[in-house]
Amino acid sequence: VHRYEKWWLTFGIGTLAVFLAVLGLRAFASGHTPPGSVLTVDPELIDTIAPWNAPGVYDRGDRVDVYLVGQAFSYAPNRIEVPVGKPVTFHAVTKDVVHSFTIVGTTVNMMLIPGYANEATYTFKAPGRYLVLCNEYCGVGHQFMQAEVIVR
């Protein structure tokens, strides 16, 4: 190997090592960590495990919790009514295959993976109707998998 090749290989590997070290230190200094409390759910028992056995909207006073289940080409509940200006936490699971829960026009975009629960919090600032779509191809009826969030 030519000495210039050795020099450039050393320079490239050194630059990569410095980049990864800086990235890791910045993440550590900013407090970024992997999720420590991943909630797992047996997809075959979702219909029997609370709160997934009664999906719906639950007003807690200062916040709203929405429990929903993605399943073959539908969401349960299919129509979600929430108040404007209150933090809404969407807790979602799936019974069958990978789905997504995406509320068009917001930052809510969750992957629903069998065996895991996912959540996202959003505060709606204006009343209206928001379309919920599945962005993960889930079978022949995928285009019919949608719901509606009504903000009042």
Side-chain angles (χ1 to χ4, degrees):
V1 178
H2 195 272
R3 71 177 190 176
Y4 290 133
E5 287 182 50
K6 287 181 186 176
W7 190 87
W8 280 110
L9 281 172
T10 304
F11 176 75
I13 292 170
T15 303
L16 179 63
V18 168
F19 170 75
L20 292 175
V22 168
L23 187 66
L25 289 172
R26 288 280 305 184
F28 180 74
S30 299
H32 295 283
T33 59
S37 59
V38 175
L39 179 61
T40 57
V41 179
D42 186 347
E44 295 178 7
L45 301 176
I46 286 176
D47 290 331
T48 62
I49 300 171
W52 314 112
N53 60 348
V57 179
Y58 298 91
D59 193 337
R60 310 285 192 211
D62 60 337
R63 64 184 168 82
V64 174
D65 287 323
V66 177
Y67 292 93
L68 57 101
V69 177
Q71 53 201 351
F73 319 128
S74 67
Y75 295 103
N78 198 10
R79 187 169 184 250
I80 301 165
E81 290 190 34
V82 296
V84 68
K86 230 184 227 190
V88 179
T89 302
F90 297 94
H91 306 270
V93 295
T94 179
K95 291 183 182 182
D96 45 25
V97 298
V98 175
H99 296 287
S100 104
F101 180 82
T102 304
I103 303 176
V104 178
T106 70
T107 58
V108 177
N109 186 6
M110 296 187 287
M111 292 288 297
L112 308 183
I113 301 170
Y116 296 95
N118 203 343
E119 68 178 45
T121 302
Y122 188 77
T123 302
F124 293 92
K125 295 178 180 27
R129 295 176 176 268
Y130 296 83
L131 179 64
V132 176
L133 295 174
C134 176
N135 285 328
E136 293 295 323
Y137 182 72
C138 52
V140 294
H142 166 72
Q143 69 274 14
F144 300 115
M145 189 166 181
Q146 54 186 317
E148 184 177 40
V149 176
I150 300 168
V151 181
R152 297 180 190 249

